[in-house]
Amino acid sequence: VTGRQAIVGCLRWIGPDGRGRATRQEEHGVHDGATPAAFAVEPIDGGIVLAGEIDIAAADAVRAELARCTSAARPVTVDLRDVSFIDSSGIEVLCAARRDAERVGGSVVLRSPSDVVVRVLEVTGLDDLFPIEWSAADGS
Amino acid sequence: MMVRRSERLRRAREWARTPVGSVVIGVGGPLLLSVPVVLWLNASPFRPGFLYVAFVAVLAALGGLGCGVVAAVTSVAALWFVSFAPKYSIATRTADDVVSLVLVALSLAAVLVVVRRLDLARLRAARARRESDEGERRERLLLDVASALGSARDRDEVRAMLRNTIVPAASASSVAVLELGDGPGTYGMIAGYDDVVDAGGTYSVGERRTPARVSATTGSPVYLDEPDLGREFPEIARIATRLDEHARAAVPFELLGGRGAVTFGFSQRQAFPEELRRFLETIGLLVGSTLRRIDAVTRSEEHNLAVAFDAMLHGVGLYRAVRDEAGAVVDFEVRHLNRQATELRERLAPADGLAASDGSFPLAGDGGLFEALVEVVESGEPFLRDPWWSPVAGGEPVPFTVQVTKSGPDQVLLVMRDVHAREAQRREREASLVRTARDRALISRLEDALLPDELPALPGHRIRGLYRAAAHEPVGGDWYDAIHLPDGDLALTVGDVAGHGLDATATMVFARSAVRALLADGMAVDEALRRVDAIMASQGAFVTCWVATYSPARSAVTIASAGHPPALLGAAGSVCVLDTPVGPPLGVDAWRRPTATSVDLPDGGVLLAYTDGLVERRTRALDHGIARLVDALTIELDGSAAPDWLDRVVARAIGDDAVGDDLCVLALARGWDFRHPSPPLLGAHDDEGDDAGPGDGPGDAADQARSKLAAIVPPWRKRVRRFPFTS
């Protein structure tokens, strides 16, 4: 998995309310260079929050963040509320995290996946692989 | 001979005018004359008197006034002796005789004196006139010479001036200029010694003592008539005799950092009168000042050039050609090397077979630099070589841009630029081009190896596949495959490995081979995927795969999908999404397994499987991409089934979107004949699709297709996502 060019991407801090605060910018290795990838990975207690486009450019960052959570035997929550795009690379990272977590007796729980995520999980036949947790705010 | 006789006469007269000559002739002449006078004694006292007077007059005319006076006195004394000496009985002479004799003698003497005076005055006037003419001429000449020398730009022009003007004016026969610098001294600007001068117009005599050297060394003029020359410079005198040269003069001058002398040779003996000396000495001073000026200008020009060169970033060398006796350039003398050139010379290997005056040229290698310099000197045409590879001591040759231009007579300017960096860049670029080409060739071979050589042929059916690599990634993880199975069925596969690059390609090759092998072995599609999944799970891969077997006999397609986007089925002008059950991708350790589903492929229908690269868009939902593909296929269903049919479907589905991923598509069409402009529509009941004609109405066929599809789809009706049919 390689990011061929280094292009400035935007790393947003996602607050507990799920809203992004533009607090810092960092450089990321990104996908094909056509457009800067915009994604965010925010560690929270017991998991991470993902936002933006979770593709091959984001895969490494997400994988690294998830690896820190899945080393313990406890549920890892992945908040996918603000994910606008996810491709097979992103799904692959989630699957790998789930596999790693289950090896040590843990699990990966998807919280409030966006429609885009739900549809991709459905198409790839993974809609019943992950436990999904809907937060109360989702209903509105 | 006439010349020589008159010359003797002239010399005799000159001697007679000297005091000694006057006395000798004046006394000797009358005494000699006394013999006939004594013999004529007593004959006539007047006759010897007249004889004496005539004799004195002759002597005076010939020998000058002094000679005449002495002769007159001697004559009178002789007459007195002859006439009045008692021995000869002069007593018999009358007093009248004596008085008349004395009077005659005195009057004749007076006449003589007057005549002589007049003659002297005339001679003096003529001589003064002559001398003044000569002086005036020389003065005018000096002015002309001074002005001409003032504008002389080089030694050649000075030489021309000496030869054409000064040598004739000084009545000289030859001229040469000795310049004493650091070396032994060289004669230049030579005229009149054509047989001893070398081709370059110079003549070296080493340390030999010559009048010119003495003059230049002492700073005093040297004037040598033939006897003096023979006495003081015997060696030179012998040469002079051979050259029929009878006098020599050398006048000194100052040079910048040296001394010199102009030496004149005369084909006649010379008394070197004061006027000639002044003239020659003035010429010497003028020549000296001219040479100083020329040298100063040259030096200043060279200095200015040197300053300019030193400020340049390129290596600059100023060379002067050195010629041999035949006038051929044999060497180049370094006049100036700027700092860069000096550094280059130190860096570079010594010149091969090139002997420059100071031992080395800054550039060698390749060879031919010397020849190039000679060519430039002789032709005046500039020379340029880019690059010029020059060897470095103990290293790789270094490339230079070399430019040679002629900067003056026998002078060349060599400009060298180290283009090492540029050449390195160029080489890197070329190497990179070669590498890229090699990579491309490799990738192209890899792609050829990864995709099926040839899709299998099935009577009455058409199978088309298409792979398009991502713009930035030559090989990806997508593949399609189609093979014949042992029982006559057809196996179709489309797969996608998550990720990019060679790792993904390697996983893809593995997955494709595994699926193909299992299917070829007769394994059912779902079971094949389950097996492959079991293998892939241990590898941590993530592969989506769509597998189908098609039985031509039953027109049935059996599909199993591991996390792959749904295939499309188009027939009778409409297209639907085959939302068959989907298992998890291969490699994901999930409990759910893919299951197989069968659908009917109607005659005239087409089955289209693809990878997500075709439908996935960053800014749109996945379903939007699928909908566009459905639309594209629907439109192309009504179009011509040309050989590029599949390309057109893909192009229409993508539109103007940027595709970041690779993609592949596989289509199986039943009863399509791509030779016909449009596919037969559903409703042609003949199983052999090739024979089906467009006989039935399209509307009727479309209705039938819909009803047929509806019959196929119901088992998973709740999962089917319909898209509006475009008609």
Side-chain angles (χ1 to χ4, degrees):
Chain A
V1 177
T2 56
R4 299 256 304 196
Q5 288 97 2
I7 291 186
V8 177
C10 176
L11 183 72
R12 285 188 300 144
W13 282 76
I14 307 296
D17 59 351
R19 287 184 185 165
R21 287 176 285 128
T23 53
R24 65 173 177 170
Q25 286 199 327
E26 285 187 2
E27 282 192 4
H28 279 284
V30 292
H31 60 113
D32 58 3
T35 51
F39 66 89
V41 185
E42 161 75 355
I44 54 170
D45 189 30
I48 59 170
V49 175
L50 299 181
E53 299 174 3
I54 308 302
D55 56 7
I56 195 160
D60 283 345
V62 178
R63 195 189 309 277
E65 204 59 58
L66 278 171
R68 275 202 289 274
C69 309
T70 54
S71 54
R74 58 185 170 88
V76 176
T77 305
V78 181
D79 192 311
L80 299 169
R81 193 193 327 247
D82 288 327
V83 171
S84 63
F85 173 83
I86 189 163
D87 69 356
S88 55
S89 300
I91 297 293
E92 190 265 330
V93 171
L94 295 180
C95 290
R98 172 186 159 274
R99 192 172 57 234
D100 292 345
E102 286 185 352
R103 269 184 203 150
V104 296
S107 66
V108 171
V109 179
L110 306 185
R111 177 188 287 165
S112 306
S114 60
D115 288 346
V116 171
V117 177
V118 170
R119 179 61 186 142
V120 171
L121 287 174
E122 207 174 284
V123 167
T124 51
L126 294 169
D127 46 350
D128 52 0
L129 187 67
F130 295 98
I132 293 180
E133 178 185 304
W134 299 99
S135 67
D138 250 26
S140 60
Chain B
M1 289 300 286
M2 286 301 292
V3 173
R4 198 157 285 185
R5 185 175 291 168
S6 70
E7 177 68 10
R8 279 183 194 156
L9 185 60
R10 188 180 66 81
R11 289 184 189 176
R13 287 180 61 177
E14 282 181 6
W15 178 72
R17 287 178 193 193
T18 61
V20 176
S22 297
V23 170
V24 169
I25 293 174
V27 172
L31 286 182
L32 283 175
L33 207 62
S34 297
V35 176
V37 167
V38 167
L39 289 178
W40 286 348
L41 193 68
N42 293 324
S44 170
F46 296 103
R47 211 177 289 169
F50 282 118
L51 200 64
Y52 273 113
V53 169
F55 185 64
V56 165
V58 168
L59 285 183
L62 290 176
L65 184 60
C67 191
V69 169
V70 172
V73 171
T74 311
S75 298
V76 170
L79 274 178
W80 177 81
F81 179 77
V82 167
S83 303
F84 302 104
K87 184 183 173 183
Y88 296 104
S89 304
I90 302 292
T92 57
R93 300 281 179 264
T94 61
D96 291 347
D97 287 343
V98 173
V99 170
S100 63
L101 189 64
V102 169
L103 284 175
V104 167
L106 286 177
S107 61
L108 280 176
V111 168
L112 194 67
V113 166
V114 169
V115 168
R116 187 66 197 168
R117 280 250 171 102
L118 286 173
D119 179 48
L120 270 182
R122 188 178 58 81
L123 285 174
R124 274 191 189 142
R127 187 169 162 188
R129 205 162 48 241
R130 204 168 57 237
E131 285 178 355
S132 109
D133 281 355
E134 185 83 351
E136 206 172 304
R137 196 168 64 83
R138 283 190 176 142
E139 263 172 33
R140 270 205 310 276
L141 190 70
L142 275 180
L143 286 177
D144 290 348
V145 165
S147 120
L149 285 177
S151 64
R153 278 166 308 183
D154 55 29
R155 282 166 165 73
D156 278 348
E157 292 187 15
V158 173
R159 173 176 177 267
M161 175 64 53
L162 286 171
R163 187 185 58 193
N164 300 335
T165 310
I166 295 171
V167 165
S171 308
S173 58
S174 60
V175 69
V177 178
L178 173 70
E179 292 183 60
L180 290 178
D182 299 330
T186 311
Y187 286 91
M189 293 160 272
I190 301 174
Y193 294 115
D194 295 336
D195 48 344
V196 298
V197 174
D198 62 36
T202 57
Y203 176 59
S204 182
V205 292
E207 299 286 354
R208 185 187 290 168
R209 185 169 172 273
T210 62
R213 183 174 295 277
V214 169
S215 170
T217 312
T218 60
S220 316
V222 175
Y223 299 104
L224 299 161
D225 198 10
E226 197 157 22
D228 306 324
L229 187 63
R231 193 171 57 244
E232 293 184 29
F233 300 93
E235 199 183 352
I236 305 299
R238 274 197 297 279
I239 299 172
T241 308
R242 205 173 66 232
L243 296 170
D244 197 17
E245 190 181 293
H246 300 286
R248 183 70 77 89
V251 288
F253 57 80
E254 295 271 344
L255 277 172
L256 292 177
R259 288 170 164 278
V262 187
T263 175
F264 295 91
F266 298 87
S267 60
Q268 294 175 358
R269 290 189 58 181
Q270 265 294 351
F272 293 111
E274 185 60 27
E275 206 171 32
L276 180 58
R277 295 186 177 207
R278 283 212 310 275
F279 175 72
L280 294 179
E281 282 162 27
T282 311
I283 291 295
L285 294 176
L286 280 175
V287 167
S289 81
T290 305
L291 294 182
R292 279 200 304 277
R293 179 179 56 75
I294 288 172
D295 287 350
V297 168
T298 309
R299 277 192 200 183
S300 136
E301 279 173 356
E302 282 184 4
H303 175 74
N304 288 343
L305 281 178
V307 169
F309 294 164
D310 286 341
M312 285 173 72
L313 292 174
H314 305 334
V316 181
L318 192 62
Y319 295 88
R320 177 173 289 171
V322 178
R323 294 175 183 273
D324 67 1
E325 291 177 0
V329 177
V330 291
D331 197 357
F332 284 93
E333 174 195 2
V334 175
R335 301 292 297 171
H336 180 72
L337 289 179
N338 73 350
R339 191 169 50 77
Q340 284 75 11
T342 311
E343 283 173 7
L344 286 177
R345 194 178 58 184
E346 282 162 8
R347 250 176 66 205
L348 299 175
D352 299 327
L354 211 59
S357 298
D358 73 336
S360 65
F361 256 87
L363 281 177
D366 272 12
L369 177 61
F370 178 77
E371 287 73 14
L373 289 176
V374 172
E375 182 66 25
V376 171
V377 165
E378 299 293 0
S379 72
E381 293 292 319
F383 168 89
L384 175 68
R385 176 86 68 87
D386 183 16
W388 182 296
W389 291 92
S390 191
V392 178
E396 297 261 312
V398 178
F400 289 92
T401 299
V402 175
Q403 201 171 356
V404 186
T405 46
K406 187 168 180 173
S407 61
D410 276 2
Q411 205 174 56
V412 286
L413 195 62
L414 182 70
V415 180
M416 298 146 282
R417 190 157 64 93
D418 186 346
V419 290
H420 180 257
R422 190 199 67 188
E423 286 298 309
Q425 272 179 5
R426 191 178 58 79
R427 277 206 237 179
E428 174 60 32
R429 207 161 51 236
E430 282 173 2
S432 138
L433 280 178
V434 168
R435 252 197 327 271
T436 309
R438 209 185 292 140
D439 285 356
R440 289 236 170 92
L442 183 70
I443 286 158
S444 166
R445 292 215 318 268
L446 193 57
E447 278 174 359
D448 289 348
L450 295 180
L451 294 174
D453 292 338
E454 200 176 317
L455 291 172
L458 191 64
H461 296 76
R462 289 286 177 276
I463 305 169
R464 286 286 157 91
L466 183 149
Y467 175 78
R468 189 175 293 172
H472 61 282
E473 199 81 41
V475 283
D478 288 11
W479 87 91
Y480 67 85
D481 199 8
I483 55 167
H484 277 301
L485 297 178
D487 58 2
D489 287 1
L490 199 64
L492 305 169
T493 314
V494 172
D496 178 9
V497 178
H500 292 281
L502 284 174
D503 287 344
T505 307
T507 307
M508 180 270 273
V509 171
F510 178 83
R512 172 171 155 244
S513 306
V515 170
R516 179 185 253 226
L518 294 175
L519 291 175
D521 213 25
M523 193 173 282
V525 283
D526 51 348
E527 182 58 23
L529 286 183
R530 277 197 288 272
R531 284 285 180 84
V532 176
D533 179 41
I535 303 166
M536 303 292 276
S538 61
Q539 295 185 348
F542 186 93
V543 183
T544 69
C545 187
W546 179 93
V547 186
T549 53
Y550 171 67
S551 165
R554 295 182 288 113
S555 304
V557 183
T558 308
I559 299 168
S561 170
H564 206 77
L568 304 186
L569 181 67
S574 61
V575 174
C576 74
V577 177
L578 291 179
D579 206 356
T580 57
V582 179
L586 306 179
V588 177
D589 191 14
W591 57 85
R592 203 150 61 89
R593 302 297 177 203
T595 53
T597 312
S598 282
V599 294
D600 189 25
L601 179 63
D603 196 9
V606 62
L607 182 68
L608 189 86
Y610 52 89
T611 56
D612 58 5
L614 185 57
V615 293
E616 205 172 59
R617 295 292 174 274
R618 206 161 288 278
T619 52
R620 302 288 180 85
L622 189 61
D623 290 330
H624 178 265
I626 296 177
R628 281 190 66 164
L629 180 58
V630 167
D631 289 347
L633 183 57
T634 308
I635 291 168
E636 292 297 333
L637 270 183
D638 292 335
S640 76
D644 64 343
W645 172 79
L646 195 56
D647 296 271
R648 276 157 49 184
V649 172
V650 169
R652 206 177 281 278
I654 292 172
D656 296 330
D657 292 350
V659 181
D661 207 355
D662 56 342
L663 63 89
C664 74
V665 188
L666 182 64
L668 169 67
R670 181 189 166 200
W672 281 27
D673 185 350
F674 289 118
R675 285 170 304 184
H676 293 315
S678 62
L681 297 173
L682 190 68
H685 301 291
D686 197 340
D687 279 352
E688 288 296 315
D690 282 0
D691 297 326
D696 301 307
D700 187 27
D703 287 345
Q704 286 187 26
R706 275 198 201 98
S707 60
K708 208 159 191 175
L709 273 175
I712 294 165
V713 170
W716 323 285
R717 192 175 187 95
K718 65 178 186 341
R719 295 187 66 92
V720 168
R721 289 181 178 246
R722 293 261 183 131
F723 296 93
F725 293 150
T726 54
S727 53

